[in-house]
Amino acid sequence: MTSGSERSCSFEEYKETADWLLAYTNQRPKVAIICGSGLGGLADLLENKTVVPYQDIPGFPQSTVHGHAGQLVYGELNGKQCVCMQGRFHFYEGYPITKVTFPVRVFHLLGVETLIVTNAAGGLNPDFKVGDIMLIKDHLNIPGFAGQNPLCGPNDERFGKRFPCMSDAYDKDLCQMAMETAQDLGYSDFIQQGVYCMLGGPSFETIAECLMLSRLGADAVGMSTVPEVVMARHCGMRVFGLSLITNKAVMDYNSKQKANHEEVLQTAKMRAKDLQKLVSCLLAKIE
Ligand code: HPA
């Protein structure tokens, strides 16, 4: 394992990337959206787009997963300026955790104040159905328990303080606003609220692991999002998150079901339009 300081990026590295982007476009969004697996279609809806492939951006990691495009898309969604990550970086791709979260600090330096995170997740809560949208009210940072927290290493006060609070990680007002928006859109049958648990992946969970996570209070499990949220809260961004329940976690030894990436992408496709509409309507209401 590498030491904290080896894994850290310097302020200058984030700044170099941010300055490059500031020079590349004169769009100055206050909201950034990270699109999860199969949910990148959201970025296609933007108007007056500026598209920047990750490979063109100095210091940016590259995305390798099927279902992730790998570009930043600036533009307007429902009249609101935003910047979308069409494709995110995962710990299981082999990146150090600080590379996974690299874009978040860049967004901060670009002037972004609100981060919206989306992901695909397995449903642990027995009341959840495939296709449900879960508004994230809290998380379990399992890699963090094992020292894989993006804030490990020297703290840079220019971003935030050494020991940031996480009991208010997900903005209550935004969550409430999203719930009301979902109800107005007629989504009551498939909208949920719950706790997202991050594991490192890339293997899906065993049955015993799913049972354990459920008993620990997790409603959904996935392989992303939490490091970005920790980093965003450290530098004072407001965070709103949602999980699309793409499959039910297998919790029964008699079950013949098996988690697989194809089902994840298929469900994402089925519910993508509803999810996009929710984010777009919420965005219009954000100050
Ligand atoms: N487990 C972990 N990550 C996931 C799952 C799952 O069942 N579904 C989508 N992402």
Side-chain angles (χ1 to χ4, degrees):
M1 190 146 75
T2 52
S3 75
S5 55
E6 275 170 315
R7 280 180 292 162
S8 298
C9 297
S10 69
F11 186 86
E12 288 67 32
E13 284 174 275
Y14 294 112
K15 189 155 186 313
E16 187 191 337
T17 303
D19 286 347
W20 188 90
L21 285 165
L22 288 168
Y24 191 88
T25 173
N26 53 18
Q27 297 197 39
R28 298 287 180 265
K30 296 264 184 265
V31 179
I33 304 174
I34 303 181
C35 303
S37 293
L39 301 172
L42 186 68
D44 297 329
L45 301 181
L46 268 52
E47 285 169 11
N48 303 319
K49 275 196 286 244
T50 302
V51 177
V52 201
Y54 293 158
Q55 72 233 32
D56 294 353
I57 309 174
F60 238 65
Q62 309 302 315
S63 182
T64 64
V65 191
H66 174 60
H68 293 259
Q71 52 192 23
L72 272 193
V73 185
Y74 286 79
E76 283 157 34
L77 185 60
N78 212 354
K80 200 50 137 284
Q81 278 212 354
C82 60
V83 55
C84 290
M85 280 182 75
Q86 204 171 29
R88 63 145 58 83
F89 308 113
H90 299 87
F91 188 55
Y92 61 74
E93 291 174 85
Y95 299 112
I97 201 100
T98 44
K99 277 283 177 193
V100 170
T101 55
F102 187 84
V104 176
R105 282 188 165 172
V106 171
F107 291 150
H108 171 68
L109 295 176
L110 295 179
V112 167
E113 293 168 356
T114 303
L115 181 69
I116 298 180
V117 286
T118 70
N119 60 51
L124 295 161
N125 185 319
D127 295 337
F128 287 7
K129 307 175 298 299
V130 169
D132 281 356
I133 295 172
M134 182 187 87
L135 310 181
I136 304 177
K137 70 170 186 206
D138 204 348
H139 70 220
L140 289 173
N141 181 3
I142 303 285
F145 291 1
Q148 290 292 352
N149 186 309
L151 298 174
C152 284
N155 186 57
D156 193 324
E157 295 282 332
R158 286 170 286 189
F159 287 112
K161 53 185 183 233
R162 172 76 289 187
F163 301 109
C165 175
M166 285 294 143
S167 58
D168 56 354
Y170 298 86
D171 190 271
K172 275 206 182 105
D173 293 338
L174 286 178
C175 197
Q176 177 66 26
M177 218 190 284
M179 185 52 93
E180 285 163 14
T181 306
Q183 276 154 0
D184 291 346
L185 288 168
Y187 290 2
S188 302
D189 287 348
F190 57 87
I191 201 82
Q192 307 279 3
Q193 256 192 351
V195 175
Y196 175 82
C197 174
M198 183 205 175
L199 299 181
S203 48
F204 285 110
E205 301 70 42
T206 64
I207 293 172
E209 285 163 353
C210 290
L211 291 168
M212 178 190 84
L213 297 177
S214 173
R215 284 172 191 147
L216 290 177
D219 296 298
V221 57
M223 305 173 189
S224 69
T225 304
V226 167
E228 294 103 307
V229 171
V230 168
M231 213 56 152
R233 291 302 296 147
H234 180 247
C235 62
M237 284 186 203
R238 279 200 306 178
V239 172
F240 168 72
L242 48 84
S243 295
L244 175 61
I245 306 302
T246 52
N247 56 290
K248 299 255 309 174
V250 181
M251 302 176 65
D252 171 2
Y253 284 98
N254 293 315
S255 171
K256 294 265 186 305
Q257 276 200 318
K258 289 183 178 189
N260 63 86
H261 193 54
E262 288 65 40
E263 185 187 10
V264 170
L265 293 181
Q266 220 172 37
T267 311
K269 210 167 167 182
M270 182 260 285
R271 191 58 91 197
K273 289 276 173 303
D274 298 317
L275 194 136
Q276 287 163 9
K277 180 111 191 145
L278 176 57
V279 173
S280 142
C281 290
L282 178 66
L283 202 59
K285 295 182 186 171
I286 290 179
E287 294 294 310

